[in-house]
Coordinates of all heavy atoms in Angstrom, one line a residue:
S1 N 108.0 84.2 120.9 CA 108.5 85.5 121.4 C 108.6 86.5 120.3 O 108.6 86.1 119.1 CB 109.9 85.3 122.0 OG 110.8 84.9 121.1
I2 N 108.7 87.8 120.6 CA 108.8 88.8 119.6 C 110.0 89.7 119.9 O 110.3 90.0 121.1 CB 107.5 89.8 119.7 CG1 106.3 89.0 119.3 CG2 107.7 91.0 118.8 CD1 105.0 89.8 119.4
E3 N 110.7 90.0 118.8 CA 111.9 90.9 119.0 C 111.8 92.0 118.0 O 111.7 91.8 116.8 CB 113.2 90.1 118.7 CG 114.4 91.0 118.9 CD 115.7 90.2 118.6 OE1 115.7 89.0 118.7 OE2 116.7 90.9 118.3
F4 N 111.7 93.2 118.5 CA 111.5 94.4 117.6 C 112.9 94.8 117.0 O 113.9 94.6 117.6 CB 110.9 95.6 118.4 CG 109.5 95.3 118.8 CD1 109.3 94.9 120.1 CD2 108.5 95.3 117.9 CE1 108.0 94.6 120.5 CE2 107.2 95.0 118.3 CZ 106.9 94.6 119.6
I5 N 112.8 95.3 115.7 CA 114.1 95.6 115.0 C 114.0 97.1 114.5 O 112.9 97.5 114.1 CB 114.2 94.7 113.7 CG1 114.2 93.2 114.2 CG2 115.4 95.0 112.9 CD1 114.0 92.3 113.0
D6 N 115.1 97.8 114.6 CA 115.1 99.1 114.0 C 114.0 100.0 114.6 O 113.3 100.7 113.9 CB 115.1 99.1 112.5 CG 116.3 98.5 111.9 OD1 117.3 98.5 112.5 OD2 116.2 98.1 110.7
L7 N 113.9 100.1 115.9 CA 112.8 100.9 116.5 C 113.0 102.4 116.2 O 112.0 103.1 116.3 CB 112.8 100.6 118.0 CG 112.2 99.3 118.5 CD1 112.4 99.1 120.0 CD2 110.8 99.2 118.1
D8 N 114.2 102.8 115.9 CA 114.4 104.2 115.6 C 114.1 104.6 114.1 O 114.2 105.8 113.8 CB 115.8 104.6 115.9 CG 116.1 104.5 117.4 OD1 115.2 104.7 118.2 OD2 117.3 104.2 117.8
H9 N 113.8 103.6 113.3 CA 113.5 103.9 111.9 C 112.2 104.7 111.8 O 111.2 104.4 112.4 CB 113.4 102.6 111.1 CG 113.5 102.9 109.6 ND1 112.5 103.5 108.9 CD2 114.5 102.6 108.7 CE1 112.9 103.6 107.6 NE2 114.1 103.1 107.5
P10 N 112.3 105.9 111.1 CA 111.1 106.7 111.0 C 109.9 106.2 110.2 O 108.8 106.6 110.4 CB 111.6 108.0 110.4 CG 112.8 107.6 109.6 CD 113.4 106.4 110.3
Q11 N 110.1 105.2 109.3 CA 109.0 104.7 108.5 C 108.7 103.3 108.6 O 107.6 102.8 108.2 CB 109.3 105.0 107.0 CG 109.1 106.4 106.6 CD 109.4 106.6 105.1 OE1 110.3 107.2 104.7 NE2 108.5 106.1 104.3
I12 N 109.7 102.5 109.1 CA 109.5 101.0 109.1 C 109.2 100.5 110.5 O 109.8 101.0 111.5 CB 110.8 100.4 108.6 CG1 111.1 100.7 107.1 CG2 110.8 98.9 108.8 CD1 110.1 100.2 106.1
F13 N 108.3 99.6 110.5 CA 108.0 98.8 111.8 C 108.3 97.4 111.5 O 107.7 96.8 110.6 CB 106.5 99.0 112.2 CG 106.2 98.3 113.4 CD1 106.7 98.6 114.6 CD2 105.3 97.2 113.4 CE1 106.4 98.0 115.8 CE2 104.9 96.5 114.6 CZ 105.5 96.9 115.8
A14 N 109.4 96.8 112.1 CA 109.8 95.5 111.8 C 110.1 94.7 113.1 O 110.5 95.3 114.1 CB 111.1 95.6 111.0
Y15 N 109.8 93.4 113.0 CA 110.0 92.5 114.1 C 110.1 91.1 113.7 O 109.7 90.7 112.6 CB 108.9 92.7 115.2 CG 107.5 92.4 114.7 CD1 107.0 91.1 114.9 CD2 106.8 93.4 114.1 CE1 105.7 90.9 114.4 CE2 105.5 93.1 113.6 CZ 104.9 91.8 113.8 OH 103.7 91.6 113.4
T16 N 110.7 90.3 114.5 CA 110.7 88.8 114.3 C 109.8 88.2 115.3 O 109.7 88.7 116.4 CB 112.1 88.2 114.4 OG1 112.6 88.4 115.7 CG2 113.0 88.7 113.3
R17 N 109.2 87.1 114.9 CA 108.4 86.3 115.8 C 108.9 84.9 115.8 O 109.0 84.3 114.7 CB 106.9 86.4 115.3 CG 105.9 85.6 116.1 CD 105.4 86.4 117.2 NE 104.7 85.5 118.2 CZ 103.4 85.3 118.2 NH1 102.6 85.9 117.3 NH2 102.9 84.5 119.0
T18 N 109.3 84.4 116.9 CA 109.7 83.0 117.0 C 108.6 82.2 117.6 O 108.1 82.5 118.7 CB 111.0 82.9 117.9 OG1 112.0 83.7 117.3 CG2 111.5 81.5 117.9
L19 N 108.2 81.1 116.9 CA 107.1 80.3 117.4 C 107.6 79.1 118.2 O 108.8 78.8 118.2 CB 106.3 79.8 116.2 CG 105.8 80.9 115.2 CD1 105.1 80.4 114.0 CD2 104.9 81.9 116.0
D20 N 106.7 78.3 118.8 CA 107.1 77.2 119.7 C 108.0 76.2 119.0 O 108.9 75.6 119.6 CB 105.9 76.5 120.2 CG 105.1 77.4 121.2 OD1 105.7 78.3 121.8 OD2 103.9 77.2 121.3
D21 N 107.8 75.9 117.7 CA 108.6 74.9 117.0 C 109.9 75.5 116.4 O 110.4 75.0 115.5 CB 107.8 74.2 116.0 CG 107.2 75.1 114.9 OD1 107.4 76.4 115.0 OD2 106.6 74.7 114.0
D22 N 110.3 76.6 116.9 CA 111.5 77.3 116.5 C 111.4 77.9 115.1 O 112.4 78.2 114.4 CB 112.8 76.4 116.6 CG 113.1 76.1 118.0 OD1 112.8 77.0 118.9 OD2 113.7 75.0 118.3
E23 N 110.2 78.1 114.6 CA 110.0 78.7 113.3 C 110.1 80.2 113.5 O 109.6 80.8 114.5 CB 108.6 78.4 112.7 CG 108.3 79.0 111.4 CD 107.0 78.6 110.9 OE1 106.1 78.3 111.7 OE2 106.9 78.6 109.6
V24 N 110.9 80.9 112.7 CA 111.2 82.3 112.9 C 110.6 83.1 111.7 O 110.9 82.8 110.5 CB 112.7 82.7 113.0 CG1 112.9 84.2 113.1 CG2 113.3 81.9 114.2
L25 N 109.7 84.0 111.9 CA 109.1 84.9 110.9 C 109.6 86.3 111.1 O 109.7 86.8 112.2 CB 107.6 84.8 111.0 CG 106.9 83.4 110.9 CD1 105.4 83.5 111.1 CD2 107.2 82.8 109.5
L26 N 109.8 87.0 109.9 CA 110.2 88.4 109.9 C 109.1 89.2 109.3 O 108.6 88.8 108.2 CB 111.5 88.6 109.1 CG 111.9 90.0 108.9 CD1 112.2 90.7 110.2 CD2 113.1 90.1 108.0
F27 N 108.6 90.2 110.0 CA 107.5 91.1 109.6 C 108.1 92.4 109.3 O 108.8 93.0 110.2 CB 106.4 91.2 110.6 CG 105.8 89.9 111.0 CD1 106.4 88.9 111.8 CD2 104.5 89.6 110.5 CE1 105.7 87.7 112.1 CE2 103.8 88.4 110.8 CZ 104.5 87.5 111.6
V28 N 107.9 93.0 108.2 CA 108.4 94.4 107.9 C 107.2 95.2 107.3 O 106.6 94.7 106.3 CB 109.6 94.3 106.9 CG1 110.1 95.7 106.6 CG2 110.7 93.4 107.4
H29 N 106.9 96.3 107.8 CA 105.8 97.2 107.4 C 106.3 98.6 107.2 O 106.9 99.2 108.0 CB 104.7 97.2 108.5 CG 104.3 95.8 109.0 ND1 103.5 95.0 108.3 CD2 104.7 95.2 110.1 CE1 103.4 93.8 108.9 NE2 104.0 93.9 110.1
N30 N 105.9 99.1 106.0 CA 106.0 100.6 105.7 C 104.6 101.2 105.9 O 103.8 101.0 105.1 CB 106.6 100.8 104.3 CG 106.7 102.2 103.9 OD1 106.5 103.1 104.8 ND2 106.9 102.5 102.7
F31 N 104.4 101.9 106.9 CA 103.1 102.5 107.2 C 102.9 103.9 106.6 O 102.0 104.6 107.0 CB 102.9 102.5 108.7 CG 102.7 101.2 109.4 CD1 103.3 100.8 110.5 CD2 101.8 100.3 108.8 CE1 103.1 99.6 111.1 CE2 101.5 99.1 109.4 CZ 102.2 98.7 110.5
Y32 N 103.8 104.3 105.7 CA 103.7 105.6 105.1 C 103.4 105.6 103.6 O 103.6 104.6 103.0 CB 105.0 106.4 105.4 CG 105.2 106.7 106.9 CD1 105.7 105.7 107.7 CD2 104.7 107.9 107.4 CE1 105.8 106.0 109.1 CE2 104.9 108.2 108.7 CZ 105.4 107.2 109.6 OH 105.5 107.5 110.9
K33 N 102.9 106.7 103.1 CA 102.6 106.8 101.7 C 103.7 107.1 100.8 O 103.6 107.3 99.6 CB 101.4 107.8 101.5 CG 101.8 109.2 101.8 CD 100.6 110.1 101.6 CE 100.9 111.5 102.1 NZ 99.7 112.4 101.9
K34 N 105.0 107.0 101.3 CA 106.2 107.2 100.5 C 107.0 105.9 100.4 O 107.0 105.2 101.4 CB 107.0 108.3 101.1 CG 106.4 109.7 101.0 CD 107.3 110.7 101.6 CE 106.7 112.1 101.6 NZ 107.6 113.1 102.1
E35 N 107.7 105.7 99.3 CA 108.6 104.6 99.2 C 109.8 104.9 100.2 O 110.1 106.0 100.5 CB 109.1 104.5 97.8 CG 108.2 103.9 96.8 CD 108.8 103.6 95.5 OE1 110.0 103.9 95.3 OE2 108.1 102.9 94.7
V36 N 110.4 103.8 100.6 CA 111.5 103.9 101.5 C 112.5 102.8 101.2 O 112.1 101.7 100.9 CB 111.0 103.8 103.0 CG1 110.4 102.5 103.3 CG2 112.2 104.1 104.0
E37 N 113.8 103.2 101.3 CA 114.9 102.2 101.2 C 115.0 101.5 102.6 O 115.1 102.2 103.6 CB 116.2 102.9 100.8 CG 116.2 103.5 99.4 CD 116.4 102.5 98.3 OE1 116.9 101.4 98.6 OE2 116.0 102.8 97.2
Y38 N 115.2 100.2 102.6 CA 115.3 99.5 103.8 C 116.2 98.3 103.7 O 116.0 97.5 102.7 CB 114.0 99.1 104.4 CG 114.1 98.5 105.8 CD1 114.5 99.2 106.9 CD2 113.8 97.1 106.0 CE1 114.6 98.6 108.1 CE2 114.0 96.5 107.2 CZ 114.3 97.3 108.3 OH 114.5 96.7 109.5
K39 N 117.2 98.2 104.5 CA 118.1 97.1 104.5 C 117.6 96.0 105.4 O 117.6 96.2 106.6 CB 119.5 97.5 104.9 CG 120.6 96.4 104.7 CD 122.0 97.0 105.0 CE 123.0 95.9 104.7 NZ 124.4 96.5 104.9
L40 N 117.2 94.9 104.9 CA 116.6 93.8 105.7 C 117.7 93.2 106.5 O 118.9 93.0 106.1 CB 116.1 92.7 104.8 CG 114.8 93.0 104.0 CD1 114.5 91.9 103.0 CD2 113.6 93.3 104.9
P41 N 117.4 92.8 107.8 CA 118.4 92.1 108.6 C 118.7 90.7 108.1 O 119.8 90.2 108.4 CB 117.7 92.1 110.0 CG 116.3 92.2 109.7 CD 116.2 93.0 108.4
A42 N 117.8 90.1 107.3 CA 118.0 88.8 106.8 C 117.0 88.6 105.7 O 116.0 89.3 105.6 CB 117.8 87.7 107.8
V43 N 117.2 87.7 104.8 CA 116.3 87.4 103.7 C 115.9 85.9 103.7 O 116.8 85.1 103.8 CB 116.9 87.7 102.3 CG1 116.0 87.4 101.2 CG2 117.3 89.2 102.2
G44 N 114.6 85.7 103.7 CA 114.1 84.3 103.8 C 113.1 84.1 102.6 O 113.2 84.7 101.6
K45 N 112.2 83.2 102.9 CA 111.2 82.8 101.9 C 110.0 83.7 102.2 O 109.4 83.8 103.3 CB 110.8 81.3 102.1 CG 109.7 80.9 101.2 CD 109.3 79.5 101.4 CE 108.1 79.1 100.5 NZ 107.5 77.8 100.9
L46 N 109.5 84.4 101.1 CA 108.3 85.2 101.2 C 107.1 84.4 101.5 O 106.8 83.4 100.8 CB 108.2 86.0 99.9 CG 107.0 87.0 99.9 CD1 107.3 88.1 100.9 CD2 106.8 87.6 98.5
I47 N 106.4 84.8 102.5 CA 105.1 84.1 102.9 C 103.9 84.9 102.5 O 102.9 84.4 102.0 CB 105.1 83.9 104.5 CG1 106.3 83.1 104.9 CG2 103.8 83.3 104.9 CD1 106.3 81.6 104.5
L48 N 104.0 86.3 102.7 CA 102.9 87.1 102.5 C 103.3 88.5 102.1 O 104.3 89.0 102.7 CB 102.0 87.2 103.7 CG 100.7 87.9 103.7 CD1 99.7 87.3 102.7 CD2 100.1 88.0 105.1
S49 N 102.7 89.1 101.2 CA 102.9 90.5 100.8 C 101.6 91.1 100.3 O 100.8 90.4 99.7 CB 104.0 90.6 99.7 OG 104.1 92.0 99.3
N50 N 101.4 92.4 100.5 CA 100.2 93.0 100.0 C 100.4 93.6 98.6 O 99.5 94.2 98.0 CB 99.7 94.1 100.9 CG 100.7 95.2 101.2 OD1 101.9 95.0 101.1 ND2 100.2 96.4 101.5
Y51 N 101.6 93.4 98.0 CA 101.9 93.7 96.6 C 102.2 92.4 95.8 O 103.0 91.6 96.4 CB 103.0 94.7 96.4 CG 102.7 96.1 96.8 CD1 102.8 96.6 98.1 CD2 102.3 97.0 95.8 CE1 102.5 97.9 98.3 CE2 102.0 98.3 96.0 CZ 102.1 98.8 97.3 OH 101.8 100.1 97.6
K52 N 101.7 92.2 94.6 CA 102.0 91.0 93.9 C 103.4 90.9 93.3 O 103.9 89.8 93.1 CB 101.0 90.9 92.7 CG 99.6 90.7 93.1 CD 98.7 90.6 91.9 CE 97.2 90.3 92.3 NZ 96.3 90.2 91.2
D53 N 104.1 92.0 93.1 CA 105.4 92.0 92.5 C 106.5 92.2 93.5 O 107.6 92.6 93.1 CB 105.5 93.1 91.4 CG 105.2 94.5 92.0 OD1 104.8 94.6 93.2 OD2 105.5 95.5 91.3
T54 N 106.3 91.8 94.8 CA 107.4 91.9 95.8 C 108.5 91.0 95.5 O 108.3 89.8 95.3 CB 106.8 91.7 97.2 OG1 105.8 92.7 97.5 CG2 107.9 91.7 98.2
K55 N 109.7 91.5 95.5 CA 110.9 90.7 95.3 C 111.8 91.0 96.5 O 112.2 92.1 96.8 CB 111.7 91.0 94.0 CG 110.9 90.6 92.8 CD 111.7 90.9 91.5 CE 111.1 90.5 90.3 NZ 109.7 90.6 90.1
L56 N 112.2 89.9 97.2 CA 113.0 90.1 98.4 C 114.4 90.3 98.0 O 115.0 89.5 97.2 CB 112.9 88.8 99.3 CG 111.5 88.6 99.9 CD1 111.5 87.4 100.8 CD2 111.1 89.8 100.8
E57 N 115.0 91.3 98.6 CA 116.4 91.6 98.4 C 117.0 92.2 99.7 O 116.2 92.7 100.5 CB 116.6 92.7 97.3 CG 116.1 92.2 95.9 CD 116.2 93.3 94.9 OE1 115.3 94.2 94.9 OE2 117.2 93.3 94.1
K58 N 118.3 92.0 99.9 CA 118.8 92.5 101.2 C 118.6 94.0 101.3 O 118.2 94.4 102.4 CB 120.3 92.2 101.2 CG 121.0 92.6 102.4 CD 120.7 91.7 103.6 CE 121.5 92.1 104.8 NZ 121.0 91.5 106.0
E59 N 118.7 94.8 100.3 CA 118.4 96.2 100.3 C 117.1 96.4 99.5 O 117.2 96.3 98.2 CB 119.5 97.0 99.8 CG 120.7 96.9 100.7 CD 121.8 97.8 100.4 OE1 121.6 98.9 99.7 OE2 123.0 97.5 100.8
M60 N 116.0 96.6 100.1 CA 114.7 96.7 99.5 C 114.3 98.2 99.3 O 114.6 99.0 100.1 CB 113.6 96.0 100.3 CG 113.8 94.5 100.2 SD 112.3 93.7 100.7 CE 111.1 94.2 99.5
R61 N 113.5 98.4 98.3 CA 112.8 99.7 98.1 C 111.3 99.3 98.4 O 110.6 98.7 97.6 CB 112.9 100.2 96.7 CG 112.2 101.5 96.5 CD 112.7 102.2 95.2 NE 112.5 103.6 95.3 CZ 113.3 104.5 96.0 NH1 114.3 104.0 96.7 NH2 113.1 105.8 95.9
M62 N 110.9 99.6 99.6 CA 109.5 99.2 100.0 C 108.5 100.3 99.5 O 108.7 101.5 99.6 CB 109.4 99.1 101.5 CG 110.2 97.9 102.0 SD 109.8 97.3 103.6 CE 108.2 96.7 103.4
K63 N 107.5 99.8 98.9 CA 106.4 100.7 98.3 C 105.6 101.3 99.5 O 105.6 100.8 100.6 CB 105.5 99.8 97.4 CG 106.3 99.3 96.2 CD 105.4 98.4 95.4 CE 106.1 97.7 94.3 NZ 107.0 96.7 94.7
P64 N 104.8 102.3 99.1 CA 103.9 102.9 100.1 C 103.0 101.8 100.7 O 102.4 101.0 100.0 CB 103.1 103.9 99.3 CG 104.0 104.2 98.2 CD 104.7 103.0 97.8
F65 N 102.9 101.8 102.0 CA 102.0 100.9 102.8 C 102.3 99.4 102.5 O 101.4 98.6 102.7 CB 100.5 101.2 102.5 CG 100.2 102.7 102.8 CD1 100.0 103.6 101.8 CD2 100.1 103.1 104.1 CE1 99.6 104.9 102.1 CE2 99.8 104.5 104.4 CZ 99.6 105.3 103.4
E66 N 103.5 99.1 102.1 CA 103.8 97.7 101.8 C 104.1 97.0 103.1 O 104.8 97.5 104.0 CB 105.1 97.6 100.9 CG 105.4 96.2 100.5 CD 106.5 96.1 99.5 OE1 107.2 97.0 99.3 OE2 106.6 95.0 98.9
S67 N 103.6 95.7 103.2 CA 103.9 94.9 104.3 C 104.3 93.5 103.8 O 103.8 93.0 102.8 CB 102.6 94.6 105.2 OG 102.3 95.8 105.9
I68 N 105.4 93.0 104.4 CA 105.9 91.6 104.0 C 106.1 90.7 105.2 O 106.4 91.3 106.3 CB 107.2 91.7 103.1 CG1 108.3 92.4 103.9 CG2 106.9 92.4 101.8 CD1 109.6 92.3 103.2
V69 N 105.9 89.5 105.0 CA 106.2 88.5 106.0 C 107.0 87.4 105.3 O 106.7 86.9 104.3 CB 104.9 87.8 106.6 CG1 105.2 86.8 107.6 CG2 103.9 88.9 107.1
M70 N 108.1 87.1 106.0 CA 109.0 86.0 105.4 C 109.4 85.0 106.5 O 109.5 85.4 107.7 CB 110.2 86.6 104.7 CG 111.2 87.2 105.6 SD 112.5 88.0 104.7 CE 111.8 89.6 104.4
K71 N 109.6 83.8 106.1 CA 110.1 82.8 107.0 C 111.6 82.7 106.9 O 112.2 82.6 105.9 CB 109.5 81.4 106.6 CG 109.9 80.3 107.5 CD 109.2 79.0 107.1 CE 109.6 77.9 108.0 NZ 108.9 76.6 107.6
L72 N 112.2 82.8 108.1 CA 113.7 82.8 108.2 C 114.2 81.4 108.6 O 115.3 81.0 108.1 CB 114.2 83.8 109.2 CG 113.8 85.3 108.9 CD1 114.4 86.2 110.0 CD2 114.3 85.7 107.5
A73 N 113.5 80.7 109.4 CA 114.0 79.4 109.9 C 112.8 78.6 110.2 O 111.7 79.0 110.4 CB 114.9 79.5 111.1

């Protein structure tokens, strides 16, 4: 299943995806060319990022066009 998060945020597209085995992934995307401050709903293990120096923090400064995927459960 998919659950969208912060649909009213002007720069961030975020959602969780729950897989059959109860694995929960969080996807967060900044689709704009400006940095943006974003408070993550949860912090897990980083699975994928399009920047090498991504550090997960509850309050992130996401770089232009940055996308991250993390495992929550």
Side-chain angles (χ1 to χ4, degrees):
S1 67
I2 295 176
E3 181 180 339
F4 296 100
I5 302 167
D6 292 336
L7 287 174
D8 294 330
H9 196 289
Q11 282 183 252
I12 296 293
F13 181 65
Y15 59 96
T16 59
R17 177 86 194 264
T18 303
L19 307 177
D20 290 336
D21 60 355
D22 293 330
E23 182 177 29
V24 180
L25 301 175
L26 173 63
F27 298 77
V28 183
H29 310 283
N30 176 11
F31 288 133
Y32 291 84
K33 61 182 176 180
K34 294 182 180 179
E35 287 190 351
V36 62
E37 296 280 339
Y38 184 67
K39 187 173 184 177
L40 293 173
V43 177
K45 178 183 177 190
L46 183 65
I47 302 293
L48 183 66
S49 174
N50 60 330
Y51 282 89
K52 291 182 181 182
D53 60 347
T54 297
K55 291 182 177 38
L56 295 180
E57 300 177 277
K58 183 71 174 164
E59 294 187 23
M60 290 197 62
R61 181 167 206 73
M62 294 196 67
K63 297 175 184 73
F65 304 107
E66 183 171 19
S67 289
I68 59 173
V69 180
M70 68 184 87
K71 183 176 179 178
L72 299 180

